[in-house]
Amino acid sequence: MQGYASSEPLRLHTPGHKGALSKVDLTELTDDSFPSDDLVRAQAYAAEVFGARHARFLCGGSSQGVKSAVFYAGANAVVDVNSHRSVFDGFILSGKRCVTAGERGGVRPLTVEQIDEKLTADIGAVIITSPTYYGYSADVNGIAEYCKRKGLMFIIDGAHGAHFGFSEHLPKSFAGACDICNVSAHKTLFALTQSALLFDNLSDENSAKLGDAVDVMGSTSPSYLLYASIEYAVDKLAAVETRAAYDALYAPIESIKSDFAFLKNDDFTRLVLDCGAEGVDAKKLNDELIRRGVYSEMVDGRHIVFIFTAADSEGGVARLAAALDNGLRKLK
């Protein structure tokens, strides 16, 4: 892409801005100027890094991956009641039925026992969310064994766990432990918004069929700018510097967790403040943080979620601590 952009080309193709917005915003270059195997090789490398059999780059976010997986499975399934809307969208598109399990509004993922309670003879798949929005991981290996024993397809919506497995302080990667899973490259990695990866451990023939579902759920004009950012994110994730960045963040984050009422979850980079335990209203505290230039990921009726990544620094942790301290003092 850089080689193309630096050649000062006469751009008689889309996109219509002709390089004015970004010289490397390219799509649908099908001639020999853009080697057709570049994307194939980049995806194969991503699968190797994450420990899966196959990988696909997505421009439609994890939502595209989730809907593709559900559509490909073509089976009734047990799903987490707190699943992302894309899971339920997938069942609308596939025409199959989902049975919800778990506690509505809960912060933890499904267990084998909760799945087993809902299993009936017409169920052919299990779809879990792991990690949850609140940083809790499921017993992936236990559920995988259960699904294998019952003959069920095992799908993981792992949108918020792309960084798992790349620090000794983080849970292991789940990409090789299920039939299909997605991760959002843009949520916790160095990738542009709407970038995601879909992994599978299917046979080559069935993986190709999953690819057909991906095509159905995606655009016929995929952005190579987004694809390139995914490749960059995978390269960064595999670098020793990224592991060092997580190591540098671990102690400061653990320290701030001991000073405030954060949930004791599985992902140290996912800070979830229990405002109920702090005795303050979550929205009011979040408003105080915004006044101090600190913007969270999400606020629900009780919690505020903050996400740190390898792109953050110890200084950011200190700034959050100061903002929380001042905000809580004002509200209490």
Side-chain angles (χ1 to χ4, degrees), residues 58-60 191-195 223-231:
L58 306 177
C59 292
L192 294 172
T193 297
Q194 211 167 301
S195 302
S223 168
Y224 279 80
L225 185 60
L226 295 186
Y227 282 167
S229 80
I230 299 171
E231 181 184 43

Side-chain angles (χ1 to χ4, degrees), residues 8-199:
E8 299 185 2
L10 176 61
R11 296 170 180 254
L12 301 181
H13 56 75
T14 60
H17 63 75
K18 301 302 179 86
L21 296 179
S22 171
K23 293 184 181 298
V24 291
D25 180 21
L26 306 173
T27 186
E28 299 176 333
L29 292 183
T30 56
D31 60 25
D32 292 337
S33 67
F34 197 91
S36 60
D37 65 340
D38 277 1
L39 182 59
V40 173
R41 288 187 288 108
Q43 291 178 147
Y45 177 65
E48 179 184 343
V49 168
F50 279 84
R53 184 167 184 178
H54 307 102
R56 285 180 175 81
F57 292 180
L58 306 177
C59 292
S62 273
S63 294
Q64 181 186 359
V66 170
K67 287 183 282 190
S68 300
V70 175
F71 190 78
Y72 162 78
N76 298 331
V78 175
V79 308
D80 191 326
V81 68
N82 300 304
S83 293
H84 187 263
R85 61 164 290 179
S86 58
V87 172
F88 302 107
D89 289 346
F91 283 98
I92 292 173
L93 295 168
S94 70
K96 297 299 181 178
R97 179 175 64 90
C98 65
V99 178
T100 58
E103 176 190 357
R104 186 175 296 279
V107 300
R108 296 180 180 275
L110 287 182
T111 65
V112 169
E113 292 74 20
Q114 289 172 321
I115 295 168
D116 192 59
E117 287 176 2
K118 298 290 185 173
L119 190 67
T120 55
D122 64 336
I123 296 295
V126 169
I127 304 173
I128 67 168
T129 302
S130 181
T132 68
Y133 217 113
Y134 301 90
Y136 288 97
S137 298
D139 175 13
V140 170
N141 290 335
I143 296 174
E145 291 174 4
Y146 174 85
C147 289
K148 184 176 182 180
R149 188 169 67 252
K150 297 288 187 177
L152 305 170
M153 180 168 290
F154 182 25
I155 299 170
I156 300 177
D157 177 5
H160 290 268
H163 56 305
F164 281 17
F166 295 92
S167 167
E168 63 180 14
H169 305 298
L170 292 167
K172 294 181 179 179
S173 172
F174 45 79
C178 57
D179 293 301
I180 308 171
C181 72
N182 62 281
V183 299
S184 289
H186 72 94
K187 283 183 167 63
T188 59
L189 306 184
F190 289 76
L192 294 172
T193 297
Q194 211 167 301
S195 302
L197 292 127
L198 184 65
F199 298 104

Side-chain angles (χ1 to χ4, degrees), residues 265-295:
N265 57 16
D266 301 309
D267 180 0
F268 85 92
T269 68
R270 180 68 53 123
L271 279 69
V272 183
L273 186 69
D274 185 345
C275 295
E278 290 285 0
V280 297
D281 180 82
K283 185 180 185 308
K284 289 181 179 179
L285 177 56
N286 195 62
D287 289 342
E288 288 296 326
L289 295 177
I290 291 172
R291 291 189 186 97
R292 291 164 172 79
V294 175
Y295 294 81

